[in-house]
Amino acid sequence: MLSTNRFERRRQVAGVCVVLGLVIEALCLLWATPIAFVVFVAIGGSLMFVGIVLYLFSLVNTVVSPE
Amino acid sequence: MLHATTLIVSLIVFSAAVIAVLVARPAITATRGGKILAFVAMFCLPIFCGLLGFSREMGRAKTTGFCLSCHTMEAYGKSLLVDDPTHIPASHFQNHRVPSDEACYSCHTQYAMFGGLRVKLWGLKHVAIYYFGTPPAPENIKLYEPYNNRECLHCHLGARSFEEGAVHNADPGTLPAIKSNQLSCISSGCHEITHDLAHLKDAKFWKEAK
């Protein structure tokens, strides 16, 4: 369940992205094929990147305009 | 190698579990300790896991089995077993002049800054063509760039057989031309027989001892 607080909600979305990225990366490590390498880099890496950036953005935003 | 994968996957599962707790209970991050935990779990651990996983995937992507797992590469794998010492890839593979478990990568990487990464990006292009495009027939596959002597010289430079070889020293200009990549090692009349798929069906094959 997503929080009603905007900043907490952002962190939750970031967390979900990072978890999805991590799960995809774990599955790719267990699935040793060339396509797993592509999925690891393209999908897992992108989700993690988006999640981390979103998390950092939420941190910066919290400091600038605290609720 | 399997042990390393297990350790990395365990760390990923641990990180995902911690983040899942933070997502389910965002109130945890209200305290100072919670904020530090969130930073470690949401920033430090994923980056660490990602780097470990990437390094593991890169290691796996260098193996001969990885390259030969695509049907298009089957004929190239078979060419490593040709029973002919003038056949350069076969003689290198069979005599362990390159590590047999990284045979393709050892010769087809670039021994330059970010060379390994560059060739793996090309590899991603191969996979994209394989799944989403029309892969060319094995005999029609061409290198992206002409084969650079740097890859051969990575091992052979300084070796007595190379530096003092009769043919290499027959003309005083030959050795400097090879070293400066002006005369290709695989040029006609030199070490020209590479994978030679055209004559593969008539070739005699070496049976690797188990």
Side-chain angles (χ1 to χ4, degrees):
Chain A
M1 190 69 177
L2 288 178
S3 169
T4 49
N5 181 306
R6 196 155 62 104
F7 300 109
E8 280 187 356
R9 197 166 59 242
R10 243 180 223 166
R11 274 174 220 165
Q12 282 178 313
V13 173
V16 169
C17 285
V18 174
V19 168
L20 281 176
L22 284 171
V23 168
I24 287 170
E25 293 199 346
L27 291 174
C28 290
L29 282 169
L30 297 171
W31 180 39
T33 60
I35 193 76
F37 181 73
V38 178
V39 173
F40 182 94
V41 175
I43 303 177
S46 302
L47 275 169
M48 293 237 303
F49 178 77
V50 168
I52 290 170
V53 167
L54 207 60
Y55 169 70
L56 293 176
F57 181 70
S58 79
L59 282 185
V60 174
N61 242 14
T62 308
V63 174
V64 173
S65 56
E67 278 192 333
Chain B
M1 291 293 262
L2 192 67
H3 189 60
T5 304
T6 310
L7 279 174
I8 299 168
V9 171
S10 304
L11 185 64
I12 288 176
V13 170
F14 171 75
S15 309
V18 174
I19 298 168
V21 170
L22 292 170
V23 169
R25 306 278 297 274
I28 294 173
T29 58
T31 63
R32 191 178 176 193
K35 283 187 173 72
I36 294 170
L37 177 69
F39 185 76
V40 171
M42 297 276 292
F43 183 75
C44 303
L45 277 177
I47 288 177
F48 185 58
C49 289
L51 289 176
L52 281 179
F54 185 71
S55 155
R56 181 76 190 90
E57 283 286 351
M58 276 294 280
R60 188 185 281 161
K62 291 175 185 173
T63 61
T64 310
F66 181 92
C67 301
L68 301 183
S69 64
C70 288
H71 291 306
T72 319
M73 286 291 123
E74 267 174 19
Y76 288 88
K78 211 174 164 192
S79 75
L80 298 177
L81 300 173
V82 170
D83 192 10
D84 178 359
T86 62
H87 199 281
I88 296 301
S91 66
H92 277 69
F93 175 77
Q94 292 165 27
N95 295 302
H96 289 203
R97 290 180 192 139
V98 290
S100 55
D101 58 339
E102 290 185 4
C104 311
Y105 180 82
S106 299
C107 293
H108 289 282
T109 187
Q110 292 186 343
Y111 293 99
M113 191 177 263
F114 305 120
L117 197 63
R118 190 166 181 221
V119 295
K120 281 300 153 203
L121 288 175
W122 282 343
L124 289 179
K125 196 174 163 187
H126 298 165
V127 177
I129 292 169
Y130 186 80
Y131 284 101
F132 308 112
T134 310
E139 59 274 18
N140 293 335
I141 292 174
K142 300 274 181 284
L143 295 174
Y144 289 106
E145 291 172 358
Y147 198 83
N148 196 310
N149 288 357
R150 172 191 59 213
E151 276 58 90
C152 306
L153 296 176
H154 179 73
C155 295
H156 293 284
L157 188 68
R160 185 178 173 188
S161 58
F162 170 72
E163 301 284 351
E164 295 179 10
V167 178
H168 295 166
N169 289 286
D171 180 330
T174 304
L175 214 49
I178 295 170
K179 289 180 181 177
S180 59
N181 198 39
Q182 286 170 332
L183 176 63
S184 173
C185 299
I186 56 172
S187 57
S188 180
C190 300
H191 307 282
E192 63 189 319
I193 306 175
T194 53
H195 290 286
D196 195 21
L197 298 193
H199 299 103
L200 208 57
K201 61 180 187 300
D202 307 318
K204 195 177 142 204
F205 293 97
W206 169 65
K207 282 193 175 60
E208 193 175 4
K210 297 288 173 196

